[in-house]
């Protein structure tokens, strides 16, 4: 069975839609792009399953007042994806912060994200 091809534009759209959009649509977004078997590990120990991902999408969409991202690196080998984004993120009453996101994932046969690893840190570049 061949792995689905995810383009850099597909990936960026997926990430951007986590933070932007109507929070009421969080579940339908997750069902269309994330496997029910989803598991995400974040550097530092946080772990999120599918239901947790739905909750996080709803939270981000409700509380994010600023989101912009630039996809700096993207690679796909079979069903594995690696990416680096530089983001400007503003949540709630917090000022906008520039962040770097490193993301690795596997997608299933349907092109839905199934296993992910993520590290987010303050951006220290130029």
């Amino acid at each position: 069975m061949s792995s689905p091809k995810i383009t850099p534009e597909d990936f960026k759209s997926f990430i951007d839609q986590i933070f932007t959009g109507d929070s009421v649509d969080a579940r339908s977004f997750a069902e269309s792009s994330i496997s029910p078997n989803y598991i995400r590990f974040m550097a530092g120990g946080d772990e999120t399953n599918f239901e947790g991902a739905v909750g996080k999408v709803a939270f981000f969409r409700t509380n994010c007042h600023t989101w912009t991202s630039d996809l700096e690196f993207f690679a796909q080998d079979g069903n594995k994806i690696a990416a680096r984004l530089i983001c400007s993120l503003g949540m709630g009453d917090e000022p906008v912060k520039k962040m770097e996101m490193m993301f690795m994932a596997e997608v299933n046969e349907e092109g839905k994200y199934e296993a992910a690893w993520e590290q987010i840190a303050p951006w220290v570049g130029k």
Side-chain angles (χ1 to χ4, degrees):
M1 190 172 286
S2 66
S3 297
K5 181 70 175 160
I6 307 291
T7 68
E9 294 80 15
D10 294 336
F11 176 78
K12 186 174 179 317
S13 176
F14 166 72
I15 294 294
D16 289 348
Q17 288 181 69
I18 291 171
F19 294 91
T20 59
D22 192 335
S23 59
V24 173
D25 298 327
R27 178 165 295 279
S28 62
F29 165 74
E31 288 173 347
S32 71
S33 57
I34 298 173
S35 164
N37 300 321
Y38 181 75
I39 188 77
R40 176 189 139 269
F41 298 101
M42 186 166 187
D46 183 34
E47 185 178 308
T48 304
N49 62 15
F50 179 82
E51 288 302 323
V54 171
K56 286 185 181 214
V57 170
F59 175 82
F60 290 142
R61 287 179 171 194
T62 299
N63 295 290
C64 183
H65 62 78
T66 301
W67 173 260
T68 59
S69 68
D70 292 313
L71 184 59
E72 299 289 319
F73 173 83
F74 178 84
Q76 182 174 3
D77 182 16
N79 72 333
K80 294 178 175 68
I81 292 170
R84 175 180 177 248
L85 293 100
I86 305 298
C87 315
S88 293
L89 173 64
M91 295 292 292
D93 294 334
E94 296 290 319
V96 175
K97 298 176 185 172
K98 198 162 194 178
M99 309 291 285
E100 176 180 45
M101 176 191 290
M102 303 296 289
F103 187 88
M104 292 185 291
E106 292 183 20
V107 294
N108 65 17
E109 315 77 47
E110 299 171 347
K112 293 183 179 185
Y113 292 85
E114 191 158 270
W117 177 89
E118 172 183 311
Q119 179 178 351
I120 300 176
W123 187 63
V124 294
K126 296 178 185 180

